[in-house]
Amino acid sequence: MRLFSILLALLVLSGTAYGANLVELQQIALSKREVIDRFKANREISKQNETIARSGYYPSLDASYTLNRLHKSNLLEEKENSVAFGALTWNLFSGLRDKYNLKSAVLLKSADTYRLKGIRQDIMRNVSLRYLSIFNRQAELQVAEDFNATLLNTYSDAQNRFNVGIIKKNDLLKFKVDLDNAFIILKQAQADLAKSINLLQREIDEDIKFEELTFTEFDQLPMLKEYQLYETEMLKNRSEILVLQDLAEAAEAQIKVEYARYAPSLDLTGSYRKYDDDFINGSGDMDLEEVRGQLALSINLFDGFEKSSRVSRAKLEARAIRHDLAEIKNDLTTRLRNLFLDYEVSSENAEVARESIVQAEENLRVTRLSYKEGIATETDYLDAITNLSRARSNYVSAKSEVFANYFDITRAVEGF
């Protein structure tokens, strides 16, 4: 087909000169988009939260130096005195609260990692669709240019026929109306191509020219495997599912954290305390030192039903996440099934549209000969030109729809 032979030649020339393909565009976007850095920051925050949760396993070391000045001395304390104090405290048991706090933090960090993976997949999908849109708009522009050029030649021929009296004025005007409409379509196609390039530039956050794009990915229609393989892969790898699974496990860990409030707390403390009757400890006439080891067992007997409410809230949060997980699995499965249906239909449409171009070209050839012999009318001739343009446009749309569905399916299974 002449249209796609011209397109292929143009694309090969541009690919030879510059060679910017889809994978390169995706990598540019991943390296420059601010949203990636935002999700990386979220992951770093979750790492810090994990460190905070792990701190419960370590002892706490505290030191203080206190200066006291009283109105007057008494039996227990001099008017001016100081106290140096240091204590090492270690929680030995708190109902395994530290264990489950740490487990929850680790799972939340994992969820942020999956979120980052998901946003990367979204960006690569969006770049793919923007890239495809440029290919589609350029093909539509070529169709519009061919349609306009054909009508321009036809109108020129009609003027010559009108000048020698072969056709009437109203027949000439029919050609002029269609020519004007083709010109409008051509201008809109040019604007649509420019806009699609702007959208790709926004998606990759970098300026790029049409001549830098290769479009070699669209030489052949993509092929898919069996649906069941994709569904299994999606349920296994989809970021949104993995995030909710981690959040559900983290919520279960938080239930155990809240239950730990019912358990007693056992703390071991070693402290050193030095009292001196001077602001500068160690310079006075009297100093007292105390080294103390302390093992404290404490338990809360009543807190206004706070513990039970915290446990109930944690259980409800875990249950809500499980419901969200079930819903998103059903939603994603349904969407994937529909994407496969769209892919099958668009693939069939592309094949039908390809054959329609051949038929429309032959119809135009025969109609042109008939029109020159005076057998076919101007309306028949214009209809044949329009049918060929429509057939070419249908093929472009169907082919683009195949790739759009393919990119959506690839995103659905985290395949980029």
Side-chain angles (χ1 to χ4, degrees):
M1 297 175 294
R2 184 168 64 91
L3 164 65
F4 292 99
S5 297
I6 295 173
L7 271 178
L8 183 59
L10 174 64
L11 299 180
V12 169
L13 288 174
S14 63
T16 303
Y18 296 95
N21 58 32
L22 177 57
V23 174
E24 292 170 343
L25 293 173
Q26 289 172 336
Q27 293 306 311
I28 292 173
L30 292 178
S31 65
K32 301 194 69 174
R33 289 293 299 274
E34 299 278 350
V35 67
I36 293 289
D37 294 332
R38 178 66 180 88
F39 275 80
K40 285 182 178 179
N42 289 344
R43 187 178 59 179
E44 291 303 314
I45 291 172
S46 64
K47 287 183 179 180
Q48 299 305 316
N49 289 335
E50 180 187 352
T51 301
I52 293 171
R54 198 180 299 275
S55 66
Y57 284 99
Y58 296 96
S60 175
L61 180 61
D62 300 281
S64 66
Y65 189 88
T66 306
L67 300 178
N68 297 302
R69 181 178 178 84
L70 307 180
H71 179 65
K72 62 180 180 179
S73 301
N74 56 49
L75 295 176
L76 299 177
E77 195 171 354
E78 294 297 323
K79 181 179 180 180
E80 294 180 354
N81 66 82
S82 61
V83 179
F85 179 80
L88 182 67
T89 304
W90 197 0
N91 175 258
L92 301 180
F93 180 75
S94 59
L96 302 180
R97 181 177 57 195
D98 293 332
K99 172 184 176 181
Y100 292 111
N101 262 331
L102 178 58
K103 180 179 180 180
S104 176
V106 170
L107 289 167
L108 292 176
K109 182 185 71 173
S110 176
D112 279 332
T113 300
Y114 288 130
R115 288 191 182 99
L116 176 59
K117 178 185 176 185
I119 197 65
R120 287 176 179 271
Q121 289 287 317
D122 285 337
I123 288 176
M124 287 190 283
R125 169 190 173 272
N126 293 341
V127 171
S128 300
L129 293 178
R130 297 302 187 194
Y131 183 63
L132 172 63
S133 177
I134 294 176
F135 172 78
N136 183 26
R137 297 302 186 187
Q138 170 59 22
E140 289 180 349
L141 175 59
Q142 187 65 59
V143 170
E145 288 176 344
D146 285 353
F147 185 43
N148 184 75
T150 300
L151 283 178
L152 187 61
N153 292 332
T154 303
Y155 178 70
S156 178
D157 179 66
Q159 280 185 313
N160 295 331
R161 294 164 68 86
F162 170 73
N163 291 333
V164 297
I166 299 178
I167 63 175
K168 295 179 294 182
K169 180 69 173 181
N170 63 329
D171 294 328
L172 178 63
L173 291 177
K174 290 180 182 180
F175 287 103
K176 184 64 169 67
V177 170
D178 279 11
L179 177 61
D180 291 342
N181 181 64
F183 181 77
I184 293 173
I185 294 174
L186 173 61
K187 289 301 180 181
Q188 185 61 53
Q190 291 172 343
D192 289 341
L193 176 60
K195 289 189 291 186
S196 64
I197 295 174
N198 290 337
L199 290 173
L200 177 62
Q201 289 175 342
R202 169 63 188 97
E203 201 64 47
I204 67 175
D205 199 17
E206 185 171 294
D207 292 337
I208 194 167
K209 297 180 180 179
F210 175 78
E211 293 79 10
E212 299 173 353
L213 306 177
T214 64
F215 301 116
T216 54
E217 296 84 356
F218 306 130
D219 290 345
Q220 295 182 345
L221 292 178
M223 301 297 294
L224 294 178
K225 302 176 184 177
E226 296 179 2
Y227 167 80
Q228 195 59 45
L229 295 176
Y230 286 90
E231 181 179 312
T232 302
E233 194 72 12
M234 181 188 68
L235 295 177
K236 176 183 177 183
N237 294 330
R238 183 78 182 209
S239 296
E240 291 92 329
I241 294 176
L242 297 176
V243 166
L244 286 176
Q245 286 176 344
D246 281 349
L247 292 180
E249 291 186 43
E252 294 292 341
Q254 280 299 315
I255 295 175
K256 296 177 181 179
V257 169
E258 299 303 337
Y259 268 123
R261 295 177 181 272
Y262 287 100
S265 179
L266 183 62
D267 297 281
L268 176 64
T269 303
S271 64
Y272 170 79
R273 182 176 185 273
K274 184 179 180 181
Y275 171 85
D276 199 310
D277 60 349
D278 192 278
F279 283 151
I280 301 177
N281 205 281
S283 300
D285 298 326
M286 180 182 67
D287 56 37
L288 299 173
E289 291 184 310
E290 178 189 81
V291 178
R292 177 178 296 189
Q294 188 178 42
L295 185 64
L297 180 66
S298 62
I299 186 171
N300 174 261
L301 300 178
F302 182 71
D303 62 355
F305 306 105
E306 180 183 352
K307 290 190 291 292
S308 60
S309 295
R310 284 179 174 272
V311 170
S312 297
R313 183 180 65 181
K315 287 182 177 179
L316 290 171
E317 289 175 349
R319 188 185 308 167
I321 294 174
R322 293 294 182 188
H323 291 320
D324 289 341
L325 179 59
E327 283 291 312
I328 197 170
K329 284 183 177 180
N330 290 335
D331 288 344
L332 291 174
T333 301
T334 301
R335 174 170 168 74
L336 181 63
R337 193 178 296 117
N338 288 340
L339 285 173
F340 260 78
L341 291 175
D342 291 338
Y343 171 81
E344 292 172 359
V345 171
S346 58
S347 296
E348 294 174 359
N349 289 344
E351 187 60 34
V352 172
R354 188 200 303 271
E355 296 175 357
S356 295
I357 291 177
V358 177
Q359 297 169 0
E361 287 178 336
E362 178 62 17
N363 177 60
L364 177 59
R365 186 187 68 82
V366 173
T367 304
R368 182 185 292 113
L369 294 175
S370 299
Y371 174 71
K372 289 183 178 180
E373 295 294 329
I375 301 174
T377 65
E378 290 78 8
T379 301
D380 294 333
Y381 190 23
L382 289 173
D383 286 344
I385 296 173
T386 302
N387 288 338
L388 177 57
S389 177
R390 184 184 301 114
R392 289 171 173 172
S393 180
N394 288 342
Y395 178 71
V396 170
S397 298
K399 185 176 182 180
S400 297
E401 191 66 24
V402 172
F403 278 99
N405 292 327
Y406 176 75
F407 290 144
D408 284 336
I409 291 172
T410 302
R411 167 65 185 96
V413 299
E414 306 273 338
F416 283 112

